[in-house]
Amino acid sequence: MCLVALWPSILGLALITGIVIAPVCLQKLGRRLTNQLSTLPALTGWALLIFAKDPTTLLVSRFLQGFGMGIQAASAPISIAEYSAPKYRGAFLATIAFSFSTGMLVAHVFGTLLYWRSAAMACGSCYVISLILISLSPETPPYLSTKGKFKECRKSFRWLRGWGSQSEKELEILLNCQKQNNFQIRQVSKWKVYLETVKKPEFYKPTVIMMFMFVLFQMSGMTVVPSYTLPMMAEVTDGTIEPYTSMLMVDVVRFATAVLACIVVNKLNRRTVLFIGISISVISLFVTSLLLYLKDFGYISDEYKWTPLIPTLIYIFGKTLGILPIPWAIAGEIFPLAYRSLGSGISGMFLSLMFFVVVKTAPTSFRQIGVKGTFCIYGLSIAICGAFLFYLLPETKGKTLYEIECHFKGIKEDKKSIEMDEKGRILELGTVEEG
């Protein structure tokens, strides 16, 4: 009983620990090394799970997995955003949601078909593949530029983006802006920099937006549903569908929608995708609750007791389409380069705290007011967060990270003028102020 009570809590505490450490690692060690190191505690956690013989080892294993996940949660959006071009950044950031959904599906398939120690070995092997792929990648160009490694920055940028004229323009903007920032930072103390940072709109506005984003993320049931799929679906279907079958149905819908989201996020505006997902989720949650209440009062006959399953699957579709990918996409784009590690750490901390609160309250909520009442609370929470984000969230699709930074600074007409010859070489770089 003690293990059951601590199992979700230990993961939340581990996530907080990992996210607290992540900003320091990202700033001091770089994106690439931080991502490499994040795989090691996760690998150790899975190895302990394979050989575990007592509850203490299981809890230590869970903590190490959560610790690695915490570092990854803070570093992955930043790394992907800094690697990718504006045109494809949305699709690449949406792969975080795709990976989440794929992981849930694969883990549930392994758990259903394999002995639990074998399943742990199969899941742990994914981190070995991840470590190899990260090791083959270069450091991100923006991080190299913050360290004054401009030669390495050019090499990494061109390895990732090629030698196109548009890419060269973005590279020169990055280098020149960072040279100015590096010079300014050297003129003042670090403490003064931190004190001034929290007062800047380009820092506190994105931070507030990400707080609402991650409240939305957690209150949509994003982490609760995978943890309580079996009892939740047993109540939704009233036993008319075998619980493991309904769990796999949820996983398949989530996986297929995550694949679709990678395409949709790159084609449509971020705000459009987010609010479509919010609308679908809110409506389907309330419809599911209504059907469950009608069933309890005897207004739905026995042969149609499975009908709440339909809006439940639509809810899974809606939240996976918009609420799952967009917060991670925005998290990688919205913070200025100078504050990206710090901002990601603060917003990630809020994500972990919300995870802890939601997971700890979920069992009591399901027990006291049932799935129908819990879905009503989730639907109302999503609607409230969506209302705030409608007024706070700017559109970021197709914009460079520098342009997004200018938006929060309130600079509307700040453009970099770059002239290039027919071979793509820079002829002139300057700042043009229009109006």
Side-chain angles (χ1 to χ4, degrees):
M1 181 63 69
C2 181
L3 178 62
V4 174
L6 287 175
W7 190 252
S9 305
I10 198 73
L11 182 62
L13 293 173
L15 281 169
I16 294 173
T17 307
I19 287 174
V20 167
I21 292 175
V24 178
C25 295
L26 287 167
Q27 191 64 30
K28 299 294 184 182
L29 304 179
R31 298 9 174 179
R32 179 172 177 266
L33 183 55
T34 299
N35 282 308
Q36 287 175 310
L37 293 176
S38 71
T39 63
L40 301 182
L43 270 171
T44 305
W46 284 111
L48 285 176
L49 184 60
I50 293 170
F51 300 104
K53 295 182 179 180
D54 57 80
T56 302
T57 306
L58 290 175
L59 291 175
V60 172
S61 164
R62 185 71 164 173
F63 182 87
L64 288 172
Q65 292 169 19
F67 179 71
M69 287 170 59
I71 298 176
Q72 292 153 16
S75 60
I78 292 176
S79 303
I80 294 172
E82 293 184 356
Y83 276 134
S84 52
K87 183 178 179 181
Y88 306 110
R89 192 170 61 235
F92 285 125
L93 286 167
T95 60
I96 297 176
F98 170 76
S99 300
F100 178 86
S101 302
T102 304
M104 287 291 101
L105 175 61
V106 171
H108 286 162
V109 169
F110 285 161
T112 302
L113 301 179
L114 301 176
Y115 179 58
W116 66 273
R117 294 187 190 273
S118 301
M121 182 178 295
C123 291
S125 65
C126 296
Y127 278 93
V128 176
I129 298 171
S130 176
L131 179 59
I132 293 171
L133 293 176
I134 295 169
S135 300
L136 295 175
S137 305
E139 181 56 86
T140 69
Y143 175 78
L144 291 170
S145 70
T146 63
K147 297 301 179 181
K149 299 179 180 180
F150 300 118
K151 183 178 179 180
E152 292 90 337
C153 175
R154 290 179 185 274
K155 183 178 179 181
S156 174
F157 193 96
R158 288 165 178 162
W159 186 89
L160 291 163
R161 310 275 190 89
W163 290 74
S165 60
Q166 190 62 38
S167 296
E168 287 297 301
K169 289 180 182 180
E170 187 179 346
L171 173 59
E172 293 306 319
I173 291 173
L174 169 65
L175 292 174
N176 281 273
C177 290
Q178 197 54 49
K179 286 176 184 177
Q180 295 175 9
N181 290 338
N182 289 350
F183 175 77
Q184 292 170 358
I185 289 172
R186 284 194 293 267
Q187 306 307 307
V188 295
S189 68
K190 288 186 177 180
W191 284 112
K192 189 173 181 180
V193 171
Y194 288 133
L195 290 174
E196 290 297 323
T197 294
V198 297
K199 302 176 184 178
K200 294 181 177 179
E202 62 267 32
F203 176 77
Y204 69 74
K205 286 182 179 179
T207 302
V208 171
I209 289 171
M210 287 314 305
M211 285 181 176
F212 277 107
M213 278 286 193
F214 284 139
V215 172
L216 172 69
F217 183 88
Q218 293 294 358
M219 291 306 298
S220 69
M222 197 63 68
T223 51
V224 167
V225 171
S227 301
Y228 298 97
T229 302
L230 288 177
M232 184 189 79
M233 296 306 291
E235 182 174 339
V236 167
T237 62
D238 201 21
T240 56
I241 299 177
E242 204 275 327
Y244 282 97
T245 302
S246 60
M247 179 185 72
L248 291 177
M249 290 172 65
V250 169
D251 288 339
V252 169
V253 170
R254 185 163 46 215
F255 172 78
T257 310
V259 175
L260 177 63
C262 292
I263 301 170
V264 170
V265 170
N266 206 48
K267 296 292 184 181
L268 302 179
N269 291 339
R270 308 279 192 269
R271 285 174 56 90
T272 302
V273 178
L274 176 65
F275 292 115
I276 287 174
I278 288 174
S279 301
I280 294 173
S281 299
V282 171
I283 293 170
S284 55
L285 281 169
F286 286 144
V287 170
T288 302
S289 297
L290 176 61
L291 290 174
L292 289 173
Y293 277 114
L294 291 175
K295 184 180 68 174
D296 287 349
F297 287 116
Y299 290 107
I300 298 178
S301 60
D302 291 346
E303 59 180 322
Y304 295 109
K305 283 186 176 180
W306 55 270
T307 50
L309 176 65
I310 296 175
T312 300
L313 293 178
I314 295 174
Y315 150 64
I316 300 296
F317 169 80
K319 74 185 182 74
T320 307
L321 181 69
I323 300 176
L324 176 56
I326 297 301
W328 296 111
I330 297 298
E333 299 174 324
I334 203 169
F335 289 106
L337 178 57
Y339 321 125
R340 200 161 290 157
S341 299
L342 180 61
S344 178
I346 292 174
S347 58
M349 171 77 73
F350 203 76
L351 171 68
S352 298
L353 290 172
M354 286 303 303
F355 171 86
F356 183 81
V357 170
V358 172
V359 170
K360 285 296 288 183
T361 57
T364 303
S365 178
F366 284 132
R367 185 171 57 253
Q368 297 295 328
I369 59 178
V371 171
K372 49 188 176 294
T374 303
F375 274 17
C376 281
I377 293 174
Y378 288 172
L380 183 61
S381 300
I382 293 172
I384 293 172
C385 288
F388 278 101
L389 288 170
F390 184 82
Y391 292 102
L392 293 175
L393 182 65
E395 184 53 60
T396 60
K397 181 180 182 294
K399 296 181 179 179
T400 65
L401 299 178
Y402 175 75
E403 289 172 335
I404 297 170
E405 180 177 342
C406 285
H407 168 83
F408 287 109
K409 286 181 177 178
I411 303 174
K412 297 182 179 180
E413 299 294 342
D414 186 10
K415 297 182 180 180
K416 295 292 178 178
S417 175
I418 302 176
E419 294 185 8
M420 310 181 74
D421 63 14
E422 65 277 2
K423 294 184 179 180
R425 294 175 297 193
I426 302 296
L427 294 178
E428 183 180 356
L429 175 65
T431 301
V432 176
E433 294 184 0
E434 299 178 358

